[in-house]
Amino acid sequence: MKRNNVRKRGNPKASSLSTAEEYQIHTLANGIRIAHKQVPYTQIAHCGIMLDIGSRDEQPHQQGLAHFWEHMAFKGTEKRSSYHVINRLENVGGELNAYTTKEKICFHASVLDDHFEKAMDLLADITFHSVFPDKQIERERNVILEEMSMYVDSPEDAIQDDFDQLIFPEHALGANILGTAETVNSFGREQLYEFINHNIDTERIVVSSVSRLPFSKVIRIAEKYLGAVPHRTTSRERIAPLIYTPVRQERERPIQQAQVAMGQPAYALLDERRLPFFMLVNLLGGPGMNSRFNLSLREKYGFVYSIEANYTPYLDSGFMGIFFGTEKKQLNKSISLINKELKRIREVPLTTLQLHQTKVQLMGQLAMSEESNMSFMLMMAKSILDTGKVDSLPEIFGEIEQISAAQLQEIAMELFNEQNFSYLTFLPEE
């Protein structure tokens, strides 16, 4: 698999309107890109700073450090205490939040548009000027250890984290984003600065916003609070996972239900088969109550309360998983029903009507997800970091319309062969 190619920007001071005329991009002199979508019908401004840094960029002794940074960013800056960070936006009815994924860290806020500048000031401050006080490090270390315990106590969450390790063994994509108790207990200010300095690249940072504010005002405010950030690049390279061997494991846990994860690596983000594969996964176990897995395992047989299939593409790899819980006595029957649906989708092509319904359902789900301005703001930042652009809904719908039943069946033959699946099962203790 190919390693990531970092896209180099052109004229750093140029701004451009997308072909879809839905968003605009301006690049600051330091390489930070400002992406904005103006919507006239809202008083709420959503904005965020997304960095192309995630848990996969950690060394083994740093596992959990990206997530630790996300937490510590709120604990004090060069000009604000943690109290003032927390209250800066909440005092005006706004929200401040953050998250860490395998490949991204994002700090984001939602406020009345009158307070957009306050939000941008605060986001820039916590992203680039955090000071990581020692006392706060000790407190937040305990908070994260509690968070880890919470996930262990939730088998539905724990199995997904543990399953990553089976799919990507000995690779950072398989490591838990939260880290381990050993690594989290080792973190201090020095480790945080070392990780940030090694990974931060201003050409791999996007400031994203959605509001009714004009683009010129967004640029002016972003320039005020981010223009002085020094231009920095990194020689960091991400290594793609190259080896996969199916694994089957069973582990006893103090639980009432059996929990099951099954799946395998899948297509990378830029693979042309990504969208049709996403359609297949959505057909089998997407959020709709009419997914094939739900109709079979829940509606027909009553074996599960919920079952889901999901697909997560990374820049150089991907992952497909099926997750469900059931009574131990129904475990083998449930897996047999799943395999039956996988075989059916491999061997029986969708009819013209089924293909049309599958496309229409997916297009409707995508359109509804874009109705959320905050979701669009986050998606816009990620898409620009990953691909350099944001595809409009008409463009995506056009791609969906071109997908054929034969193409779906060919992909199903490749990736829905249960002989290549890994299985992880949590069984109730005897």
Side-chain angles (χ1 to χ4, degrees):
M1 296 182 184
K2 293 182 180 178
R3 294 181 183 176
N4 256 7
N5 291 318
V6 176
R7 291 175 177 264
K8 298 297 180 183
R9 312 321 307 166
N11 180 356
K13 293 190 177 182
S15 62
S16 62
L17 190 64
S18 76
T19 55
E21 296 189 351
E22 289 189 347
Y23 67 99
Q24 293 170 283
I25 296 180
H26 175 82
T27 307
L28 302 179
N30 55 20
I32 296 175
R33 281 167 284 175
I34 316 301
H36 177 64
K37 179 178 179 179
Q38 186 175 14
V39 290
Y41 50 82
T42 180
Q43 292 182 294
I44 304 300
H46 303 282
C47 54
I49 299 179
M50 187 174 291
L51 304 95
D52 194 40
I53 303 170
S55 63
R56 70 170 300 175
D57 301 309
E58 300 161 348
Q59 299 299 315
H61 68 281
Q62 296 175 321
Q63 188 181 336
L65 195 49
H67 175 256
F68 201 92
W69 172 21
E70 173 214 315
H71 276 241
M72 285 304 304
F74 294 81
K75 301 306 174 185
T77 69
E78 294 168 6
K79 64 180 182 181
R80 291 185 174 96
S81 67
S82 61
Y83 175 84
H84 290 107
V85 169
I86 291 171
N87 283 282
R88 177 69 170 165
L89 299 185
E90 293 207 356
N91 281 344
V92 294
E95 295 179 354
L96 178 66
N97 215 329
Y99 64 86
T100 305
T101 69
K102 304 276 182 170
E103 296 185 328
K104 303 288 185 286
I105 294 174
C106 183
F107 304 101
H108 60 96
S110 299
V111 291
L112 285 169
D113 53 24
D114 288 344
H115 304 295
F116 177 81
E117 184 166 351
K118 284 184 179 179
M120 190 62 69
D121 174 20
L122 184 62
L123 289 172
D125 199 26
I126 65 174
T127 303
F128 297 104
H129 303 291
S130 291
V131 293
F132 313 127
D134 287 333
K135 288 184 179 180
Q136 294 285 5
I137 286 176
E138 291 307 316
R139 290 174 187 155
E140 210 58 27
R141 191 193 320 280
N142 291 330
V143 169
I144 292 173
L145 291 172
E146 288 297 321
E147 185 179 359
M148 293 167 65
S149 298
M150 180 181 71
Y151 275 93
V152 169
D153 288 340
S154 174
E156 298 91 344
D157 295 321
I159 198 167
Q160 296 196 29
D161 288 332
D162 289 0
F163 194 54
D164 284 349
Q165 297 176 11
L166 263 65
I167 300 297
F168 301 112
E170 315 248 335
H171 191 277
L173 283 175
N176 193 315
I177 289 173
L178 300 181
T180 67
E182 181 181 5
T183 56
V184 169
N185 277 313
S186 72
F187 297 153
R189 184 189 295 123
E190 182 180 344
Q191 286 76 22
L192 284 162
Y193 281 130
E194 179 185 2
F195 179 74
I196 293 169
N197 291 333
H198 179 71
N199 286 284
I200 204 160
D201 184 334
T202 51
E203 295 184 14
R204 303 294 301 162
I205 296 173
V206 169
V207 177
S208 179
S209 78
V210 175
S211 72
R212 66 178 178 179
L213 298 176
F215 189 39
S216 58
K217 184 172 184 177
V218 172
I219 292 174
R220 178 179 60 78
I221 293 172
E223 181 75 57
K224 179 178 179 180
Y225 295 103
L226 295 161
V229 173
H231 175 262
R232 298 178 61 179
T233 58
T234 179
S235 59
R236 179 201 73 192
E237 287 188 290
R238 287 171 167 167
I239 308 300
L242 300 176
I243 300 174
Y244 168 71
T245 303
V247 177
R248 294 181 179 232
Q249 286 189 11
E250 292 184 350
R251 304 174 188 174
E252 288 193 350
R253 292 289 177 91
I255 53 179
Q256 299 299 313
Q257 263 194 335
Q259 294 289 330
V260 180
M262 49 194 290
Q264 67 171 61
Y267 304 123
L269 184 70
L270 301 181
D271 194 297
E272 62 183 11
R273 297 164 293 182
R274 178 184 62 85
L275 187 56
F277 181 61
F278 179 69
M279 180 187 293
L280 278 177
V281 173
N282 194 62
L283 171 65
L284 283 172
M289 293 293 288
N290 65 341
S291 72
R292 290 190 174 185
F293 289 156
N294 192 72
L295 289 176
S296 176
L297 276 77
R298 173 174 172 150
E299 299 301 326
K300 186 174 182 179
Y301 291 97
F303 286 169
V304 302
Y305 175 73
S306 66
I307 180 169
E308 66 177 73
N310 57 50
Y311 164 45
T312 303
Y314 301 114
L315 282 174
D316 49 15
S317 185
F319 161 79
M320 188 280 293
I322 301 166
F323 304 93
F324 67 95
T326 189
E327 296 296 321
K328 184 178 179 180
K329 63 183 179 182
Q330 297 162 173
L331 178 58
N332 291 333
K333 292 179 182 178
S334 297
I335 293 175
S336 294
L337 288 172
I338 291 172
N339 289 336
K340 180 180 177 181
E341 292 299 332
L342 295 174
K343 180 179 180 182
R344 178 159 75 105
I345 208 165
R346 289 196 310 267
E347 297 181 355
V348 183
L350 297 184
T351 66
T352 302
L353 178 59
Q354 288 172 333
L355 179 62
H356 173 72
Q357 291 173 334
T358 301
K359 291 178 178 179
V360 169
Q361 182 175 23
L362 180 57
M363 288 189 284
Q365 291 172 349
L366 292 174
M368 284 192 286
S369 68
E370 198 166 297
E371 279 290 296
S372 165
N373 287 335
M374 185 174 75
S375 295
F376 185 88
M377 180 271 294
L378 296 173
M379 180 277 293
M380 180 165 60
K382 182 179 185 301
S383 184
I384 290 170
L385 280 174
D386 289 342
T387 69
K389 63 187 180 72
V390 181
D391 291 329
S392 68
L393 276 179
E395 289 171 331
I396 297 171
F397 288 177
E399 291 181 41
I400 291 173
E401 290 287 10
Q402 296 301 312
I403 297 172
S404 67
Q407 184 182 13
L408 293 175
Q409 189 175 16
E410 182 180 348
I411 291 172
M413 293 284 287
E414 180 180 358
L415 287 187
F416 288 149
N417 182 350
E418 58 269 22
Q419 298 302 314
N420 294 328
F421 277 17
S422 289
Y423 291 79
L424 175 60
T425 306
F426 288 174
L427 295 171
E429 290 178 343
E430 295 293 339

